[in-house]
Amino acid sequence: EALSHSIREYLGGILDTTNFFIALHEPEVGKLTFPLFTDEEDDPPGTVDFEKGMTEYVIRTGESIFARREDMLIMHERGEIDLLGTTPKLWLGVPLRIDGASVGAIVIQSYRDENLYTEESLKILNFVSTQIAEAMKRKKAEVELASERALLTTLMKNTADNIYFKDIDGKFIMVSDSQAKLLNLSDPALALGKSDYDFFSEDHARKTFEDEQEIIKTNRRLIGLQEHLILSGKPDMWVSTTKLPIQDEDGIISGTFGITRDITQSKLAEKALAESNSLRELLLDIIT
C-alpha cells in the first residue's frame, strides 16, 4: 500500500492521477484486490470477485488498453467485457507482470475529458508498471526469505537433535542450540568459524573431516552412521549421524549439514542385554 501511494505521488508530477488505481489478482481464490483506489465517482471496491471488467480483461490478456467510452461499449456488445461501475470517457490500463505472468493492473481514467491522456501516457504507465512489478517481486522474495528464516530459527532453537551446517573446509557456519550445548558453548554463535578439531579428539575430528570431504567430492549421503563421542568433562556418548551436501539451485556444493541423534540409552540397553545373555549362557554351562 505504501508503495502504491509513492507511485501515485510520482506519477502525479507527470499525469493526472485523480482517478487512479492499482489492482492485484489472487488467482488461488479468484479475487481482485485494490491496494490503492482513488476515484471521483466510485467508492473503493475492496476485495471483489475476478469477473469480466476492463481491469480483468487487461490482466487476463496481458495487453495494455487505451480505450474511449465508445470503445468500451463495443467491447461490451461483443461480450469481451462487462461494464462495471461508472463508465469513464477515457480509460488506460496496463498489466503488472512478474516473471512473465500478469498479476495485476495499473489504471488511470477520466470521466470528463476524453483527450486528457494520449498514447504517450500509456507508454509512461507501461514503464511504471515494470518498476512496480520489480518492487513487488523483491518484496515477495523478502517476505518468503523472512518466513523461511523464522522456520529455520524455530527448528534450530527447539530441536532435541544436534543440527549443524559446515562450509567446504569443515568449519561451522550454523549450529542448533542443542549442538552448542553438546560443545559446551553458551551461545551457538561461538561455534562459527570453528571445526571439530576445536572440540573433539584428533582421531575423531580427522575421521569426521574425511567423511565430509568424501560427501563433498562424491555428492553422496551418509545415513545413520553410529559414532562414539568422547568429550572433555562429559560422559561418553553414542550417536547416530546423518550428513548430506549443501547445494545451491545449480547443484554446486558449498559444504555439508548434519543431524546427530543421541542413542546412548539404546546402546547401554543393548550392552546390558548382551551381558545378560552372556551371563545366562555361562549359568547354563555351569548347570550342565
Side-chain angles (χ1 to χ4, degrees), residues 128-147:
V128 171
S129 73
T130 62
Q131 308 308 306
I132 296 176
E134 282 300 315
M136 288 171 57
K137 183 178 179 179
R138 288 195 301 270
K139 187 61 179 176
K140 182 180 179 182
E142 290 173 7
V143 170
E144 291 176 349
L145 180 59
S147 177

Side-chain angles (χ1 to χ4, degrees), residues 215-282:
I215 290 171
I216 292 171
K217 291 177 182 177
T218 64
N219 193 20
R220 293 178 180 172
R221 301 180 176 188
L222 192 157
I223 307 294
L225 173 67
Q226 293 190 1
E227 299 176 293
H228 185 198
L229 296 186
I230 302 176
L231 285 164
S232 177
K234 286 182 176 289
D236 287 7
M237 292 177 59
W238 282 92
V239 296
S240 175
T241 297
T242 294
K243 295 183 180 181
L244 298 90
I246 300 174
Q247 294 178 285
D248 62 17
E249 294 180 353
D250 297 322
I252 298 176
I253 298 175
S254 59
T256 61
F257 73 93
I259 302 174
T260 295
R261 176 165 293 177
D262 187 351
I263 59 170
T264 303
Q265 294 304 316
S266 297
K267 277 293 183 180
L268 292 176
E270 289 177 7
K271 183 179 179 182
L273 179 61
E275 291 175 349
S276 175
N277 288 336
S278 296
L279 180 59
R280 183 182 61 183
E281 291 175 3
L282 177 59

